[in-house]
Amino acid sequence: MFEDLSSRLEGVFRSLRGRGLLTEENVRDSLREIRRALLEADVHYKVAKGLVSRIEARAVGREALKGVNPGQQMVKIVHEELVELLGGAVARPNLAGTPPVPVMLVGLQGSGKTTTAAKLGNWLKKQGRRPYLVPADPYRPAARDQLVKLAKANGHDVYEGPEEDAVEICRRGLKSAVRRAADVVLLDTAGRLHIDEELMAELSAIRSAVKPGEVLLVVDGMIGQDAVNVAERFSEELGFDGVVLTKMDGDARGGAALSIRQVTGIPIKFVGVGESADALEPFHPDRMASRILNMGDVLTLVERAQETVKQEEAEELAAKLRKNEFDLSDFRAHLGKLRKMGPLSQVLALLPGVPKDALTEVEKDGGRSVRRVEAIIGSMTPAERAKPSILNGSRRKRIARGSGTSVQEVNQLLKQFNEMRGMMRQMSKRSKRGGKGKRGGPLARLGRR
Ligand SMILES: Nc1nc2c(ncn2[C@@H]2O[C@H](COP(=O)(O)OP(=O)(O)OP(=O)(O)O)[C@@H](O)[C@H]2O)c(=O)[nH]1
Ligand SMILES: [Mg+2]
C-alpha cells in the first residue's frame, strides 16, 4: 500500500536534501508536489489542503538545524503532521463492559465484514478473550454458511440458531454467548450495495436491542474516495466507534486511510491486509505515517517476529550481537526466519532504508535471491562463515564457483551482511540505552510474548 505516494514524497525530500535551508521558495515547490502526491493517492482534497497548510506553517522560515538537512527536516514535519492526521494515538476497541460485550460489524456489501469477524476472533483470542461469532445476515443465502465455515476453520465458537430476523438472531446469539461463557460477541450484520433506509433501520434496531460496546464500520480501502463518503453516511445515520479498513494489501492508493479519520473524527482501529484470518493489524498512526514516508516500520516487524522467533533463539542472537559474534551462519539462519515471517518483499518493506526499487526486484525474483544467498553461504567453510573478514579474492572466487554465482554476487552478499550487522548492532545499542537492562535489546524482546 502507499507505494506511489511514498515514492512521490521521497522525491520531494530528495530534492530538498541538497539545499542549505528551508526557504520560502523551495518549501513552496515541495508543498505543491506534496499536495499533488496526496491528491493522486486519492486523499480528500480538503484534507490534503489542510495538511499542506499546516506543513507550510511549520516549514517556512525555519532555521536549518545543525546536522539535519532540509530534506530530513521536512520529513520530520510531514511525519508528525501525518501522525496527527491519522489520529495521533492508537485507538483500541472498547471491550470494557460486562461480558459478553457485543461488537457490531457494519458496512456495505463485500466490504469484508464476515472476513473481519473471523480475523477479529483470532486477534481477540490472542488477547486472551473468548469470542463468539453470530451471523446476523438472514438475507443472502450463503451468508451464514460463510461465517460458520470461517469460524470453524479458525476454531471459533459460532451461533447456528434458526435464521429469523436479524434483531432476533442477535438477541438469541447474545443469550447463547452467555451460556457458553464467551466474553465478546461479534455480530456479522448484512451488507447492502448502497446505503438505504432499510439497512440503517435494521442496524439501529440491532443496536437498541443488544447495546454494543463497539460498533465497527468495515470499509473497503480499495474504493478510494467512496470509502470516505460511505463513512460519512454511516456516521450521520447510525454512528460508529471505529473503522476497520480492509484490503489495504491491494494496490489501494491509501487515500481513504488518510481521509476517513479527519472527515468523520472517528478513529481507524484495524486494517485488513489480506484474505487470511491472520491478516489484521491494529492501526498505529505513527507506524502508518512511517510506512508512508518509507521510514520503515520496525515495530510491526518486531511484533511479527515475535510470533516467529523463539525466545531462546532470540536471546542467543542478542548475546552474539553484543559480543560482536554474529556471523554468516547466523545470517543464514536469520534469513530462513525472515522468510517464515511472510513474503520477503512484505518483510523488507517494513525495514527502514530499504529502497522501493529493491522491493520490486525481490518481488520479481520471488525468493530466488534468498536461495542464492543460501547457496553462497553454503559454499563457505565453517571458518569463513565465522570470520568473513578472511574472505580474500581467491576464496571469493572459489565460493562463487561452488555456488554457481559470480564474485560480484558474493561481494554483494558480504556487503549486505555487513550492513545488516551494523544495523542490528545499532538497534540493540539503542534499546539498551533505554535502560531495559541486559535483556532489553530488540532481538531479545523479539522472543517475549
Ligand atoms: N485482499 C483482501 N481481501 C479481503 C480483505 N478483507 C476481505 N477480503 C475479501 O473481500 C471479499 C468480501 O469479504 P466478505 O468478508 O465476504 O465481505 P462482507 O462484508 O461480509 O460481504 P457481505 O456479507 O456480502 O456484505 C472476500 O473475497 C474476502 O476474502 C483484505 O483485507 N484483503
Ligand atoms: Mg458477510
Side-chain angles (χ1 to χ4, degrees):
M1 60 182 118
F2 299 122
E3 272 80 10
D4 292 340
L5 179 59
S6 293
S7 60
R8 289 285 298 270
L9 291 175
E10 239 176 298
V12 175
F13 303 135
R14 206 179 310 120
S15 72
L16 273 175
R17 211 158 288 162
R19 312 294 172 83
L21 68 167
L22 293 178
T23 65
E24 213 159 303
E25 193 184 347
N26 60 28
V27 167
R28 209 178 315 118
D29 289 346
S30 310
L31 290 171
R32 200 176 312 123
E33 266 303 298
I34 291 175
R35 187 162 162 277
R36 204 174 297 151
L38 289 169
L39 291 176
E40 261 168 40
D42 226 0
V43 174
H44 193 282
Y45 77 97
K46 274 190 200 153
V47 173
K49 199 171 157 209
L51 180 67
V52 167
S53 68
R54 283 191 301 277
I55 296 170
E56 182 174 20
R58 295 184 54 186
V60 175
R62 274 221 169 175
E63 292 198 15
L65 295 171
K66 254 215 183 87
V68 183
N69 68 43
Q72 291 164 326
Q73 221 170 315
M74 196 65 156
V75 170
K76 185 161 183 293
I77 295 172
V78 175
H79 181 257
E80 286 169 6
E81 288 300 332
L82 277 179
V83 173
E84 269 314 298
L85 185 75
L86 292 168
V90 177
R92 295 264 169 174
N94 172 25
L95 305 172
T98 325
V101 179
V103 172
M104 265 176 89
L105 297 169
V106 304
L108 291 187
Q109 200 170 71
S111 58
K113 296 177 295 298
T114 304
T115 314
T116 300
K119 291 176 177 178
L120 270 175
N122 281 6
W123 183 81
L124 286 163
K125 255 193 202 150
K126 279 188 199 151
Q127 310 286 308
R129 296 273 185 162
R130 285 175 56 97
Y132 187 63
L133 276 52
V134 176
D137 176 0
Y139 311 108
R140 193 163 59 82
R144 178 170 80 166
D145 290 350
Q146 189 196 352
L147 185 75
V148 169
K149 219 181 264 169
L150 263 177
K152 292 194 169 156
N154 289 285
H156 302 313
D157 214 355
V158 58
Y159 176 74
E160 290 181 88
E163 296 195 69
E164 40 218 336
D165 89 304
V167 179
E168 203 46 43
I169 293 175
C170 291
R171 268 209 200 99
R172 283 175 188 252
L174 204 56
K175 278 194 193 131
S176 161
V178 175
R179 281 195 300 276
R180 288 161 179 270
D183 53 17
V184 182
V185 182
L186 299 172
L187 303 169
D188 178 24
T189 67
R192 301 276 201 287
L193 268 179
H194 301 284
I195 297 170
D196 54 41
E197 269 169 43
E198 219 180 313
L199 169 70
M200 291 300 176
E202 178 178 293
L203 295 174
S204 298
I206 295 177
R207 190 172 55 187
S208 321
V210 305
K211 310 234 166 4
E214 182 87 17
V215 178
L216 289 175
L217 176 68
V218 180
V219 237
D220 181 340
M222 299 228 278
I223 63 175
Q225 270 318 287
D226 280 342
V228 179
N229 300 334
V230 169
E232 257 187 313
R233 288 289 302 278
F234 270 88
S235 165
E236 283 159 13
E237 296 182 30
L238 180 76
F240 52 92
D241 309 298
V243 175
V244 180
L245 210 52
T246 63
K247 309 184 195 178
M248 292 302 284
D249 50 312
D251 54 359
R253 287 182 288 174
L258 287 165
S259 314
I260 277 188
R261 165 67 212 237
Q262 188 82 1
V263 172
T264 63
I266 314 278
I268 301 171
K269 296 192 174 171
F270 294 95
V271 280
V273 291
E275 294 189 77
S276 84
D278 290 319
L280 183 79
E281 296 174 1
F283 182 71
H284 293 263
D286 55 341
R287 296 186 198 174
M288 187 61 78
S290 303
R291 218 186 270 181
I292 293 170
L293 296 179
N294 204 14
M295 291 160 76
D297 192 345
V298 178
L299 288 174
T300 298
L301 186 66
V302 166
E303 266 177 16
R304 209 177 278 181
Q306 260 170 348
E307 292 164 13
T308 319
V309 184
K310 288 208 199 72
Q311 170 141 5
E312 311 89 81
E313 283 173 341
E315 287 185 359
E316 195 184 318
L317 207 54
K320 281 190 168 163
L321 274 174
R322 270 199 306 275
K323 292 190 230 143
N324 206 5
E325 281 171 4
F326 183 78
D327 65 17
L328 280 162
S329 307
D330 301 315
F331 183 60
R332 181 169 59 172
H334 208 70
L335 269 182
K337 279 185 208 115
L338 273 180
R339 232 175 0 167
K340 271 193 249 159
M341 282 160 65
L344 199 60
S345 59
Q346 264 185 33
V347 174
L348 289 178
L350 298 173
L351 282 172
V354 176
K356 285 275 144 86
D357 34 346
L359 296 182
T360 10
E361 282 299 301
V362 171
E363 231 144 57
K364 261 191 267 165
D365 112 332
R368 230 180 315 135
S369 58
V370 177
R371 285 195 293 279
R372 193 165 56 217
V373 167
E374 287 171 341
I376 293 175
I377 299 178
S379 297
M380 294 177 184
T381 65
E384 288 166 343
R385 279 179 218 145
K387 207 169 170 225
S389 58
I390 63 174
L391 288 167
N392 57 17
S394 69
R395 283 175 189 258
R396 290 180 192 211
K397 221 182 274 170
R398 190 206 78 234
I399 291 164
R401 224 178 306 122
S403 57
T405 59
S406 66
V407 173
Q408 210 182 354
E409 284 168 320
V410 175
N411 290 341
Q412 198 189 350
L413 162 72
L414 291 170
K415 195 168 147 241
Q416 282 172 346
F417 165 71
N418 282 326
E419 282 167 6
M420 178 163 168
R421 182 159 65 171
M423 198 171 82
M424 289 167 83
R425 207 181 300 144
Q426 255 185 356
M427 273 169 56
S428 115
K429 258 194 229 150
R430 213 183 308 158
S431 64
K432 243 199 292 177
R433 269 206 307 272
K436 296 230 174 73
K438 261 210 322 235
R439 289 165 57 185
L443 287 161
R445 263 189 280 131
L446 291 187
R448 277 185 219 145
R449 271 151 219 266

